[in-house]
mmCIF file with all atom_site columns, all heavy atoms in Angstrom:
data_model
loop_
_atom_site.group_PDB
_atom_site.id
_atom_site.type_symbol
_atom_site.label_atom_id
_atom_site.label_alt_id
_atom_site.label_comp_id
_atom_site.label_asym_id
_atom_site.label_entity_id
_atom_site.label_seq_id
_atom_site.pdbx_PDB_ins_code
_atom_site.Cartn_x
_atom_site.Cartn_y
_atom_site.Cartn_z
_atom_site.occupancy
_atom_site.B_iso_or_equiv
_atom_site.pdbx_formal_charge
_atom_site.auth_seq_id
_atom_site.auth_comp_id
_atom_site.auth_asym_id
_atom_site.auth_atom_id
_atom_site.pdbx_PDB_model_num
ATOM 1   N N   . GLY R 1 1  ? -15.485 -31.882 29.161 1.00 0.00 ? 1  GLY R N   1
ATOM 2   C CA  . GLY R 1 1  ? -16.876 -31.445 29.101 1.00 0.00 ? 1  GLY R CA  1
ATOM 3   C C   . GLY R 1 1  ? -17.012 -29.970 29.410 1.00 0.00 ? 1  GLY R C   1
ATOM 4   O O   . GLY R 1 1  ? -17.822 -29.261 28.806 1.00 0.00 ? 1  GLY R O   1
ATOM 5   N N   . GLN R 1 2  ? -16.208 -29.470 30.356 1.00 0.00 ? 2  GLN R N   1
ATOM 6   C CA  . GLN R 1 2  ? -16.223 -28.042 30.664 1.00 0.00 ? 2  GLN R CA  1
ATOM 7   C C   . GLN R 1 2  ? -15.781 -27.237 29.447 1.00 0.00 ? 2  GLN R C   1
ATOM 8   O O   . GLN R 1 2  ? -16.367 -26.194 29.142 1.00 0.00 ? 2  GLN R O   1
ATOM 9   C CB  . GLN R 1 2  ? -15.297 -27.742 31.845 1.00 0.00 ? 2  GLN R CB  1
ATOM 10  C CG  . GLN R 1 2  ? -15.830 -28.237 33.158 1.00 0.00 ? 2  GLN R CG  1
ATOM 11  C CD  . GLN R 1 2  ? -14.888 -27.897 34.286 1.00 0.00 ? 2  GLN R CD  1
ATOM 12  O OE1 . GLN R 1 2  ? -14.465 -26.761 34.417 1.00 0.00 ? 2  GLN R OE1 1
ATOM 13  N NE2 . GLN R 1 2  ? -14.557 -28.884 35.106 1.00 0.00 ? 2  GLN R NE2 1
ATOM 14  N N   . GLU R 1 3  ? -14.770 -27.726 28.758 1.00 0.00 ? 3  GLU R N   1
ATOM 15  C CA  . GLU R 1 3  ? -14.305 -27.032 27.555 1.00 0.00 ? 3  GLU R CA  1
ATOM 16  C C   . GLU R 1 3  ? -15.387 -27.013 26.473 1.00 0.00 ? 3  GLU R C   1
ATOM 17  O O   . GLU R 1 3  ? -15.616 -25.986 25.843 1.00 0.00 ? 3  GLU R O   1
ATOM 18  C CB  . GLU R 1 3  ? -13.044 -27.681 27.009 1.00 0.00 ? 3  GLU R CB  1
ATOM 19  C CG  . GLU R 1 3  ? -11.818 -27.338 27.789 1.00 0.00 ? 3  GLU R CG  1
ATOM 20  C CD  . GLU R 1 3  ? -10.565 -27.833 27.123 1.00 0.00 ? 3  GLU R CD  1
ATOM 21  O OE1 . GLU R 1 3  ? -10.612 -28.847 26.388 1.00 0.00 ? 3  GLU R OE1 1
ATOM 22  O OE2 . GLU R 1 3  ? -9.518  -27.193 27.319 1.00 0.00 ? 3  GLU R OE2 1
ATOM 23  N N   . ARG R 1 4  ? -16.033 -28.161 26.248 1.00 0.00 ? 4  ARG R N   1
ATOM 24  C CA  . ARG R 1 4  ? -17.103 -28.226 25.236 1.00 0.00 ? 4  ARG R CA  1
ATOM 25  C C   . ARG R 1 4  ? -18.218 -27.246 25.575 1.00 0.00 ? 4  ARG R C   1
ATOM 26  O O   . ARG R 1 4  ? -18.705 -26.514 24.709 1.00 0.00 ? 4  ARG R O   1
ATOM 27  C CB  . ARG R 1 4  ? -17.672 -29.637 25.132 1.00 0.00 ? 4  ARG R CB  1
ATOM 28  C CG  . ARG R 1 4  ? -16.881 -30.590 24.299 1.00 0.00 ? 4  ARG R CG  1
ATOM 29  C CD  . ARG R 1 4  ? -17.636 -31.894 24.031 1.00 0.00 ? 4  ARG R CD  1
ATOM 30  N NE  . ARG R 1 4  ? -18.074 -32.559 25.249 1.00 0.00 ? 4  ARG R NE  1
ATOM 31  C CZ  . ARG R 1 4  ? -17.310 -33.366 25.982 1.00 0.00 ? 4  ARG R CZ  1
ATOM 32  N NH1 . ARG R 1 4  ? -16.067 -33.600 25.639 1.00 0.00 ? 4  ARG R NH1 1
ATOM 33  N NH2 . ARG R 1 4  ? -17.795 -33.932 27.060 1.00 0.00 ? 4  ARG R NH2 1
ATOM 34  N N   . PHE R 1 5  ? -18.620 -27.221 26.837 1.00 0.00 ? 5  PHE R N   1
ATOM 35  C CA  . PHE R 1 5  ? -19.694 -26.330 27.267 1.00 0.00 ? 5  PHE R CA  1
ATOM 36  C C   . PHE R 1 5  ? -19.271 -24.868 27.122 1.00 0.00 ? 5  PHE R C   1
ATOM 37  O O   . PHE R 1 5  ? -19.981 -24.052 26.541 1.00 0.00 ? 5  PHE R O   1
ATOM 38  C CB  . PHE R 1 5  ? -20.084 -26.640 28.714 1.00 0.00 ? 5  PHE R CB  1
ATOM 39  C CG  . PHE R 1 5  ? -21.145 -25.750 29.264 1.00 0.00 ? 5  PHE R CG  1
ATOM 40  C CD1 . PHE R 1 5  ? -22.434 -25.805 28.769 1.00 0.00 ? 5  PHE R CD1 1
ATOM 41  C CD2 . PHE R 1 5  ? -20.864 -24.856 30.278 1.00 0.00 ? 5  PHE R CD2 1
ATOM 42  C CE1 . PHE R 1 5  ? -23.430 -24.970 29.277 1.00 0.00 ? 5  PHE R CE1 1
ATOM 43  C CE2 . PHE R 1 5  ? -21.839 -24.031 30.795 1.00 0.00 ? 5  PHE R CE2 1
ATOM 44  C CZ  . PHE R 1 5  ? -23.125 -24.087 30.288 1.00 0.00 ? 5  PHE R CZ  1
ATOM 45  N N   . ALA R 1 6  ? -18.105 -24.525 27.624 1.00 0.00 ? 6  ALA R N   1
ATOM 46  C CA  . ALA R 1 6  ? -17.628 -23.142 27.579 1.00 0.00 ? 6  ALA R CA  1
ATOM 47  C C   . ALA R 1 6  ? -17.437 -22.650 26.147 1.00 0.00 ? 6  ALA R C   1
ATOM 48  O O   . ALA R 1 6  ? -17.680 -21.473 25.847 1.00 0.00 ? 6  ALA R O   1
ATOM 49  C CB  . ALA R 1 6  ? -16.324 -23.015 28.357 1.00 0.00 ? 6  ALA R CB  1
ATOM 50  N N   . ALA R 1 7  ? -17.042 -23.531 25.246 1.00 0.00 ? 7  ALA R N   1
ATOM 51  C CA  . ALA R 1 7  ? -16.828 -23.144 23.848 1.00 0.00 ? 7  ALA R CA  1
ATOM 52  C C   . ALA R 1 7  ? -18.124 -22.699 23.169 1.00 0.00 ? 7  ALA R C   1
ATOM 53  O O   . ALA R 1 7  ? -18.081 -21.985 22.163 1.00 0.00 ? 7  ALA R O   1
ATOM 54  C CB  . ALA R 1 7  ? -16.187 -24.297 23.075 1.00 0.00 ? 7  ALA R CB  1
ATOM 55  N N   . ARG R 1 8  ? -19.272 -23.071 23.721 1.00 0.00 ? 8  ARG R N   1
ATOM 56  C CA  . ARG R 1 8  ? -20.556 -22.623 23.166 1.00 0.00 ? 8  ARG R CA  1
ATOM 57  C C   . ARG R 1 8  ? -20.769 -21.122 23.395 1.00 0.00 ? 8  ARG R C   1
ATOM 58  O O   . ARG R 1 8  ? -21.636 -20.510 22.801 1.00 0.00 ? 8  ARG R O   1
ATOM 59  C CB  . ARG R 1 8  ? -21.727 -23.391 23.798 1.00 0.00 ? 8  ARG R CB  1
ATOM 60  C CG  . ARG R 1 8  ? -21.759 -24.881 23.580 1.00 0.00 ? 8  ARG R CG  1
ATOM 61  C CD  . ARG R 1 8  ? -22.068 -25.316 22.162 1.00 0.00 ? 8  ARG R CD  1
ATOM 62  N NE  . ARG R 1 8  ? -23.273 -24.803 21.595 1.00 0.00 ? 8  ARG R NE  1
ATOM 63  C CZ  . ARG R 1 8  ? -24.461 -25.403 21.600 1.00 0.00 ? 8  ARG R CZ  1
ATOM 64  N NH1 . ARG R 1 8  ? -24.606 -26.555 22.190 1.00 0.00 ? 8  ARG R NH1 1
ATOM 65  N NH2 . ARG R 1 8  ? -25.499 -24.837 21.021 1.00 0.00 ? 8  ARG R NH2 1
ATOM 66  N N   . PHE R 1 9  ? -19.933 -20.520 24.264 1.00 0.00 ? 9  PHE R N   1
ATOM 67  C CA  . PHE R 1 9  ? -20.070 -19.099 24.590 1.00 0.00 ? 9  PHE R CA  1
ATOM 68  C C   . PHE R 1 9  ? -19.002 -18.238 23.927 1.00 0.00 ? 9  PHE R C   1
ATOM 69  O O   . PHE R 1 9  ? -19.038 -17.023 24.037 1.00 0.00 ? 9  PHE R O   1
ATOM 70  C CB  . PHE R 1 9  ? -20.030 -18.906 26.108 1.00 0.00 ? 9  PHE R CB  1
ATOM 71  C CG  . PHE R 1 9  ? -21.193 -19.557 26.800 1.00 0.00 ? 9  PHE R CG  1
ATOM 72  C CD1 . PHE R 1 9  ? -21.142 -20.881 27.176 1.00 0.00 ? 9  PHE R CD1 1
ATOM 73  C CD2 . PHE R 1 9  ? -22.356 -18.850 27.016 1.00 0.00 ? 9  PHE R CD2 1
ATOM 74  C CE1 . PHE R 1 9  ? -22.221 -21.490 27.787 1.00 0.00 ? 9  PHE R CE1 1
ATOM 75  C CE2 . PHE R 1 9  ? -23.451 -19.448 27.623 1.00 0.00 ? 9  PHE R CE2 1
ATOM 76  C CZ  . PHE R 1 9  ? -23.374 -20.771 28.008 1.00 0.00 ? 9  PHE R CZ  1
ATOM 77  N N   . GLY R 1 10 ? -18.042 -18.860 23.262 1.00 0.00 ? 10 GLY R N   1
ATOM 78  C CA  . GLY R 1 10 ? -16.997 -18.099 22.580 1.00 0.00 ? 10 GLY R CA  1
ATOM 79  C C   . GLY R 1 10 ? -15.663 -18.809 22.633 1.00 0.00 ? 10 GLY R C   1
ATOM 80  O O   . GLY R 1 10 ? -15.548 -19.931 23.137 1.00 0.00 ? 10 GLY R O   1
ATOM 81  N N   . SER R 1 11 ? -14.657 -18.163 22.111 1.00 0.00 ? 11 SER R N   1
ATOM 82  C CA  . SER R 1 11 ? -13.311 -18.736 22.078 1.00 0.00 ? 11 SER R CA  1
ATOM 83  C C   . SER R 1 11 ? -12.762 -18.907 23.487 1.00 0.00 ? 11 SER R C   1
ATOM 84  O O   . SER R 1 11 ? -12.954 -18.043 24.347 1.00 0.00 ? 11 SER R O   1
ATOM 85  C CB  . SER R 1 11 ? -12.375 -17.832 21.287 1.00 0.00 ? 11 SER R CB  1
ATOM 86  O OG  . SER R 1 11 ? -12.829 -17.714 19.965 1.00 0.00 ? 11 SER R OG  1
ATOM 87  N N   . LEU R 1 12 ? -12.056 -20.000 23.694 1.00 0.00 ? 12 LEU R N   1
ATOM 88  C CA  . LEU R 1 12 ? -11.471 -20.277 25.000 1.00 0.00 ? 12 LEU R CA  1
ATOM 89  C C   . LEU R 1 12 ? -10.066 -19.695 25.089 1.00 0.00 ? 12 LEU R C   1
ATOM 90  O O   . LEU R 1 12 ? -9.362  -19.592 24.088 1.00 0.00 ? 12 LEU R O   1
ATOM 91  C CB  . LEU R 1 12 ? -11.407 -21.783 25.240 1.00 0.00 ? 12 LEU R CB  1
ATOM 92  C CG  . LEU R 1 12 ? -12.745 -22.525 25.205 1.00 0.00 ? 12 LEU R CG  1
ATOM 93  C CD1 . LEU R 1 12 ? -12.525 -23.998 25.477 1.00 0.00 ? 12 LEU R CD1 1
ATOM 94  C CD2 . LEU R 1 12 ? -13.730 -21.937 26.183 1.00 0.00 ? 12 LEU R CD2 1
ATOM 95  N N   . THR R 1 13 ? -9.687  -19.329 26.285 1.00 0.00 ? 13 THR R N   1
ATOM 96  C CA  . THR R 1 13 ? -8.346  -18.822 26.567 1.00 0.00 ? 13 THR R CA  1
ATOM 97  C C   . THR R 1 13 ? -7.697  -19.750 27.594 1.00 0.00 ? 13 THR R C   1
ATOM 98  O O   . THR R 1 13 ? -8.344  -20.662 28.112 1.00 0.00 ? 13 THR R O   1
ATOM 99  C CB  . THR R 1 13 ? -8.400  -17.395 27.127 1.00 0.00 ? 13 THR R CB  1
ATOM 100 O OG1 . THR R 1 13 ? -9.124  -17.413 28.362 1.00 0.00 ? 13 THR R OG1 1
ATOM 101 C CG2 . THR R 1 13 ? -9.077  -16.443 26.148 1.00 0.00 ? 13 THR R CG2 1
ATOM 102 N N   . ALA R 1 14 ? -6.449  -19.474 27.915 1.00 0.00 ? 14 ALA R N   1
ATOM 103 C CA  . ALA R 1 14 ? -5.791  -20.242 28.969 1.00 0.00 ? 14 ALA R CA  1
ATOM 104 C C   . ALA R 1 14 ? -6.544  -20.035 30.277 1.00 0.00 ? 14 ALA R C   1
ATOM 105 O O   . ALA R 1 14 ? -7.106  -18.968 30.523 1.00 0.00 ? 14 ALA R O   1
ATOM 106 C CB  . ALA R 1 14 ? -4.340  -19.803 29.115 1.00 0.00 ? 14 ALA R CB  1
ATOM 107 N N   . ALA R 1 15 ? -6.534  -21.046 31.125 1.00 0.00 ? 15 ALA R N   1
ATOM 108 C CA  . ALA R 1 15 ? -7.271  -20.980 32.388 1.00 0.00 ? 15 ALA R CA  1
ATOM 109 C C   . ALA R 1 15 ? -6.761  -19.868 33.287 1.00 0.00 ? 15 ALA R C   1
ATOM 110 O O   . ALA R 1 15 ? -7.528  -19.217 33.980 1.00 0.00 ? 15 ALA R O   1
ATOM 111 C CB  . ALA R 1 15 ? -7.175  -22.318 33.110 1.00 0.00 ? 15 ALA R CB  1
ATOM 112 N N   . HIS R 1 16 ? -5.460  -19.652 33.279 1.00 0.00 ? 16 HIS R N   1
ATOM 113 C CA  . HIS R 1 16 ? -4.847  -18.648 34.146 1.00 0.00 ? 16 HIS R CA  1
ATOM 114 C C   . HIS R 1 16 ? -3.555  -18.209 33.482 1.00 0.00 ? 16 HIS R C   1
ATOM 115 O O   . HIS R 1 16 ? -2.860  -19.024 32.880 1.00 0.00 ? 16 HIS R O   1
ATOM 116 C CB  . HIS R 1 16 ? -4.581  -19.260 35.525 1.00 0.00 ? 16 HIS R CB  1
ATOM 117 C CG  . HIS R 1 16 ? -4.180  -18.269 36.553 1.00 0.00 ? 16 HIS R CG  1
ATOM 118 N ND1 . HIS R 1 16 ? -2.901  -17.786 36.667 1.00 0.00 ? 16 HIS R ND1 1
ATOM 119 C CD2 . HIS R 1 16 ? -4.891  -17.661 37.530 1.00 0.00 ? 16 HIS R CD2 1
ATOM 120 C CE1 . HIS R 1 16 ? -2.830  -16.935 37.668 1.00 0.00 ? 16 HIS R CE1 1
ATOM 121 N NE2 . HIS R 1 16 ? -4.038  -16.835 38.210 1.00 0.00 ? 16 HIS R NE2 1
ATOM 122 N N   . PRO R 1 17 ? -3.201  -16.938 33.590 1.00 0.00 ? 17 PRO R N   1
ATOM 123 C CA  . PRO R 1 17 ? -1.997  -16.475 32.891 1.00 0.00 ? 17 PRO R CA  1
ATOM 124 C C   . PRO R 1 17 ? -0.681  -17.017 33.444 1.00 0.00 ? 17 PRO R C   1
ATOM 125 O O   . PRO R 1 17 ? 0.298   -17.106 32.716 1.00 0.00 ? 17 PRO R O   1
ATOM 126 C CB  . PRO R 1 17 ? -2.059  -14.955 33.032 1.00 0.00 ? 17 PRO R CB  1
ATOM 127 C CG  . PRO R 1 17 ? -2.961  -14.700 34.182 1.00 0.00 ? 17 PRO R CG  1
ATOM 128 C CD  . PRO R 1 17 ? -3.921  -15.852 34.236 1.00 0.00 ? 17 PRO R CD  1
ATOM 129 N N   . THR R 1 18 ? -0.639  -17.412 34.727 1.00 0.00 ? 18 THR R N   1
ATOM 130 C CA  . THR R 1 18 ? 0.630   -17.870 35.294 1.00 0.00 ? 18 THR R CA  1
ATOM 131 C C   . THR R 1 18 ? 0.574   -19.262 35.917 1.00 0.00 ? 18 THR R C   1
ATOM 132 O O   . THR R 1 18 ? 1.610   -19.849 36.190 1.00 0.00 ? 18 THR R O   1
ATOM 133 C CB  . THR R 1 18 ? 1.136   -16.895 36.378 1.00 0.00 ? 18 THR R CB  1
ATOM 134 O OG1 . THR R 1 18 ? 0.173   -16.849 37.440 1.00 0.00 ? 18 THR R OG1 1
ATOM 135 C CG2 . THR R 1 18 ? 1.348   -15.512 35.804 1.00 0.00 ? 18 THR R CG2 1
ATOM 136 N N   . VAL R 1 19 ? -0.619  -19.795 36.153 1.00 0.00 ? 19 VAL R N   1
ATOM 137 C CA  . VAL R 1 19 ? -0.762  -21.118 36.759 1.00 0.00 ? 19 VAL R CA  1
ATOM 138 C C   . VAL R 1 19 ? -1.244  -22.081 35.676 1.00 0.00 ? 19 VAL R C   1
ATOM 139 O O   . VAL R 1 19 ? -2.276  -21.850 35.060 1.00 0.00 ? 19 VAL R O   1
ATOM 140 C CB  . VAL R 1 19 ? -1.783  -21.095 37.930 1.00 0.00 ? 19 VAL R CB  1
ATOM 141 C CG1 . VAL R 1 19 ? -1.927  -22.476 38.544 1.00 0.00 ? 19 VAL R CG1 1
ATOM 142 C CG2 . VAL R 1 19 ? -1.370  -20.071 38.980 1.00 0.00 ? 19 VAL R CG2 1
ATOM 143 N N   . PRO R 1 20 ? -0.470  -23.153 35.421 1.00 0.00 ? 20 PRO R N   1
ATOM 144 C CA  . PRO R 1 20 ? -0.892  -24.080 34.373 1.00 0.00 ? 20 PRO R CA  1
ATOM 145 C C   . PRO R 1 20 ? -2.181  -24.803 34.740 1.00 0.00 ? 20 PRO R C   1
ATOM 146 O O   . PRO R 1 20 ? -2.459  -25.050 35.909 1.00 0.00 ? 20 PRO R O   1
ATOM 147 C CB  . PRO R 1 20 ? 0.279   -25.056 34.266 1.00 0.00 ? 20 PRO R CB  1
ATOM 148 C CG  . PRO R 1 20 ? 1.026   -24.931 35.547 1.00 0.00 ? 20 PRO R CG  1
ATOM 149 C CD  . PRO R 1 20 ? 0.761   -23.551 36.072 1.00 0.00 ? 20 PRO R CD  1
ATOM 150 N N   . GLY R 1 21 ? -2.965  -25.127 33.707 1.00 0.00 ? 21 GLY R N   1
ATOM 151 C CA  . GLY R 1 21 ? -4.204  -25.867 33.903 1.00 0.00 ? 21 GLY R CA  1
ATOM 152 C C   . GLY R 1 21 ? -3.922  -27.315 34.268 1.00 0.00 ? 21 GLY R C   1
ATOM 153 O O   . GLY R 1 21 ? -2.774  -27.760 34.294 1.00 0.00 ? 21 GLY R O   1
ATOM 154 N N   . GLY R 1 22 ? -4.982  -28.048 34.536 1.00 0.00 ? 22 GLY R N   1
ATOM 155 C CA  . GLY R 1 22 ? -4.849  -29.456 34.901 1.00 0.00 ? 22 GLY R CA  1
ATOM 156 C C   . GLY R 1 22 ? -4.854  -30.343 33.675 1.00 0.00 ? 22 GLY R C   1
ATOM 157 O O   . GLY R 1 22 ? -3.896  -30.361 32.905 1.00 0.00 ? 22 GLY R O   1
ATOM 158 N N   . GLU R 1 23 ? -5.955  -31.056 33.468 1.00 0.00 ? 23 GLU R N   1
ATOM 159 C CA  . GLU R 1 23 ? -6.072  -31.971 32.332 1.00 0.00 ? 23 GLU R CA  1
ATOM 160 C C   . GLU R 1 23 ? -5.988  -31.235 31.004 1.00 0.00 ? 23 GLU R C   1
ATOM 161 O O   . GLU R 1 23 ? -5.535  -31.788 30.019 1.00 0.00 ? 23 GLU R O   1
ATOM 162 C CB  . GLU R 1 23 ? -7.406  -32.718 32.393 1.00 0.00 ? 23 GLU R CB  1
ATOM 163 C CG  . GLU R 1 23 ? -7.561  -33.655 33.558 1.00 0.00 ? 23 GLU R CG  1
ATOM 164 C CD  . GLU R 1 23 ? -8.943  -34.281 33.571 1.00 0.00 ? 23 GLU R CD  1
ATOM 165 O OE1 . GLU R 1 23 ? -9.466  -34.627 32.491 1.00 0.00 ? 23 GLU R OE1 1
ATOM 166 O OE2 . GLU R 1 23 ? -9.509  -34.409 34.668 1.00 0.00 ? 23 GLU R OE2 1
ATOM 167 N N   . THR R 1 24 ? -6.467  -30.016 30.978 1.00 0.00 ? 24 THR R N   1
ATOM 168 C CA  . THR R 1 24 ? -6.476  -29.220 29.754 1.00 0.00 ? 24 THR R CA  1
ATOM 169 C C   . THR R 1 24 ? -6.004  -27.806 30.082 1.00 0.00 ? 24 THR R C   1
ATOM 170 O O   . THR R 1 24 ? -6.174  -27.338 31.200 1.00 0.00 ? 24 THR R O   1
ATOM 171 C CB  . THR R 1 24 ? -7.896  -29.142 29.156 1.00 0.00 ? 24 THR R CB  1
ATOM 172 O OG1 . THR R 1 24 ? -8.735  -28.487 30.085 1.00 0.00 ? 24 THR R OG1 1
ATOM 173 C CG2 . THR R 1 24 ? -8.459  -30.518 28.834 1.00 0.00 ? 24 THR R CG2 1
ATOM 174 N N   . PRO R 1 25 ? -5.410  -27.110 29.133 1.00 0.00 ? 25 PRO R N   1
ATOM 175 C CA  . PRO R 1 25 ? -4.899  -25.766 29.427 1.00 0.00 ? 25 PRO R CA  1
ATOM 176 C C   . PRO R 1 25 ? -5.983  -24.723 29.667 1.00 0.00 ? 25 PRO R C   1
ATOM 177 O O   . PRO R 1 25 ? -5.710  -23.671 30.222 1.00 0.00 ? 25 PRO R O   1
ATOM 178 C CB  . PRO R 1 25 ? -4.069  -25.412 28.197 1.00 0.00 ? 25 PRO R CB  1
ATOM 179 C CG  . PRO R 1 25 ? -4.455  -26.366 27.140 1.00 0.00 ? 25 PRO R CG  1
ATOM 180 C CD  . PRO R 1 25 ? -5.063  -27.560 27.795 1.00 0.00 ? 25 PRO R CD  1
ATOM 181 N N   . GLN R 1 26 ? -7.234  -25.013 29.290 1.00 0.00 ? 26 GLN R N   1
ATOM 182 C CA  . GLN R 1 26 ? -8.310  -24.040 29.464 1.00 0.00 ? 26 GLN R CA  1
ATOM 183 C C   . GLN R 1 26 ? -9.085  -24.223 30.758 1.00 0.00 ? 26 GLN R C   1
ATOM 184 O O   . GLN R 1 26 ? -9.960  -23.429 31.072 1.00 0.00 ? 26 GLN R O   1
ATOM 185 C CB  . GLN R 1 26 ? -9.301  -24.105 28.285 1.00 0.00 ? 26 GLN R CB  1
ATOM 186 C CG  . GLN R 1 26 ? -8.747  -23.580 26.994 1.00 0.00 ? 26 GLN R CG  1
ATOM 187 C CD  . GLN R 1 26 ? -7.878  -24.586 26.274 1.00 0.00 ? 26 GLN R CD  1
ATOM 188 O OE1 . GLN R 1 26 ? -7.987  -25.778 26.485 1.00 0.00 ? 26 GLN R OE1 1
ATOM 189 N NE2 . GLN R 1 26 ? -6.992  -24.104 25.417 1.00 0.00 ? 26 GLN R NE2 1
ATOM 190 N N   . VAL R 1 27 ? -8.782  -25.263 31.536 1.00 0.00 ? 27 VAL R N   1
ATOM 191 C CA  . VAL R 1 27 ? -9.522  -25.535 32.766 1.00 0.00 ? 27 VAL R CA  1
ATOM 192 C C   . VAL R 1 27 ? -8.537  -25.604 33.928 1.00 0.00 ? 27 VAL R C   1
ATOM 193 O O   . VAL R 1 27 ? -7.587  -26.373 33.905 1.00 0.00 ? 27 VAL R O   1
ATOM 194 C CB  . VAL R 1 27 ? -10.311 -26.863 32.673 1.00 0.00 ? 27 VAL R CB  1
ATOM 195 C CG1 . VAL R 1 27 ? -11.011 -27.172 33.995 1.00 0.00 ? 27 VAL R CG1 1
ATOM 196 C CG2 . VAL R 1 27 ? -11.323 -26.798 31.539 1.00 0.00 ? 27 VAL R CG2 1
ATOM 197 N N   . LEU R 1 28 ? -8.767  -24.780 34.937 1.00 0.00 ? 28 LEU R N   1
ATOM 198 C CA  . LEU R 1 28 ? -7.928  -24.771 36.131 1.00 0.00 ? 28 LEU R CA  1
ATOM 199 C C   . LEU R 1 28 ? -8.744  -25.310 37.293 1.00 0.00 ? 28 LEU R C   1
ATOM 200 O O   . LEU R 1 28 ? -9.777  -24.745 37.665 1.00 0.00 ? 28 LEU R O   1
ATOM 201 C CB  . LEU R 1 28 ? -7.464  -23.341 36.445 1.00 0.00 ? 28 LEU R CB  1
ATOM 202 C CG  . LEU R 1 28 ? -6.651  -23.171 37.723 1.00 0.00 ? 28 LEU R CG  1
ATOM 203 C CD1 . LEU R 1 28 ? -5.323  -23.912 37.627 1.00 0.00 ? 28 LEU R CD1 1
ATOM 204 C CD2 . LEU R 1 28 ? -6.410  -21.696 37.998 1.00 0.00 ? 28 LEU R CD2 1
ATOM 205 N N   . ASP R 1 29 ? -8.298  -26.417 37.853 1.00 0.00 ? 29 ASP R N   1
ATOM 206 C CA  . ASP R 1 29 ? -8.958  -26.967 39.031 1.00 0.00 ? 29 ASP R CA  1
ATOM 207 C C   . ASP R 1 29 ? -8.634  -26.078 40.222 1.00 0.00 ? 29 ASP R C   1
ATOM 208 O O   . ASP R 1 29 ? -7.472  -25.891 40.565 1.00 0.00 ? 29 ASP R O   1
ATOM 209 C CB  . ASP R 1 29 ? -8.464  -28.385 39.317 1.00 0.00 ? 29 ASP R CB  1
ATOM 210 C CG  . ASP R 1 29 ? -8.861  -29.378 38.239 1.00 0.00 ? 29 ASP R CG  1
ATOM 211 O OD1 . ASP R 1 29 ? -9.954  -29.202 37.662 1.00 0.00 ? 29 ASP R OD1 1
ATOM 212 O OD2 . ASP R 1 29 ? -8.085  -30.303 37.970 1.00 0.00 ? 29 ASP R OD2 1
ATOM 213 N N   . VAL R 1 30 ? -9.653  -25.513 40.835 1.00 0.00 ? 30 VAL R N   1
ATOM 214 C CA  . VAL R 1 30 ? -9.469  -24.711 42.039 1.00 0.00 ? 30 VAL R CA  1
ATOM 215 C C   . VAL R 1 30 ? -9.867  -25.620 43.192 1.00 0.00 ? 30 VAL R C   1
ATOM 216 O O   . VAL R 1 30 ? -11.020 -25.712 43.570 1.00 0.00 ? 30 VAL R O   1
ATOM 217 C CB  . VAL R 1 30 ? -10.318 -23.421 41.996 1.00 0.00 ? 30 VAL R CB  1
ATOM 218 C CG1 . VAL R 1 30 ? -10.098 -22.600 43.249 1.00 0.00 ? 30 VAL R CG1 1
ATOM 219 C CG2 . VAL R 1 30 ? -9.980  -22.616 40.759 1.00 0.00 ? 30 VAL R CG2 1
ATOM 220 N N   . ASP R 1 31 ? -8.865  -26.334 43.701 1.00 0.00 ? 31 ASP R N   1
ATOM 221 C CA  . ASP R 1 31 ? -9.103  -27.400 44.653 1.00 0.00 ? 31 ASP R CA  1
ATOM 222 C C   . ASP R 1 31 ? -8.007  -27.374 45.709 1.00 0.00 ? 31 ASP R C   1
ATOM 223 O O   . ASP R 1 31 ? -6.823  -27.500 45.384 1.00 0.00 ? 31 ASP R O   1
ATOM 224 C CB  . ASP R 1 31 ? -9.100  -28.731 43.905 1.00 0.00 ? 31 ASP R CB  1
ATOM 225 C CG  . ASP R 1 31 ? -9.422  -29.919 44.777 1.00 0.00 ? 31 ASP R CG  1
ATOM 226 O OD1 . ASP R 1 31 ? -9.441  -29.789 46.013 1.00 0.00 ? 31 ASP R OD1 1
ATOM 227 O OD2 . ASP R 1 31 ? -9.662  -30.997 44.210 1.00 0.00 ? 31 ASP R OD2 1
#
C-alpha cells in the first residue's frame, strides 16, 4: 500500500542505497 501511494507522486527508487528493504525493495521498515 505504501508503494501504491508513493507511486502517485513519481517513480519509486530503492528504499536505501545500502540497506535492503523489507517486504518490498522500495520500502524500508525503520523499526
Side-chain angles (χ1 to χ4, degrees):
Q2 288 181 50
E3 283 188 332
R4 279 191 305 276
F5 178 67
R8 298 290 305 266
F9 296 87
S11 299
L12 301 181
T13 62
H16 190 279
T18 62
V19 180
E23 294 177 40
T24 63
Q26 290 81 22
V27 177
L28 176 65
D29 294 327
V30 181
D31 183 348

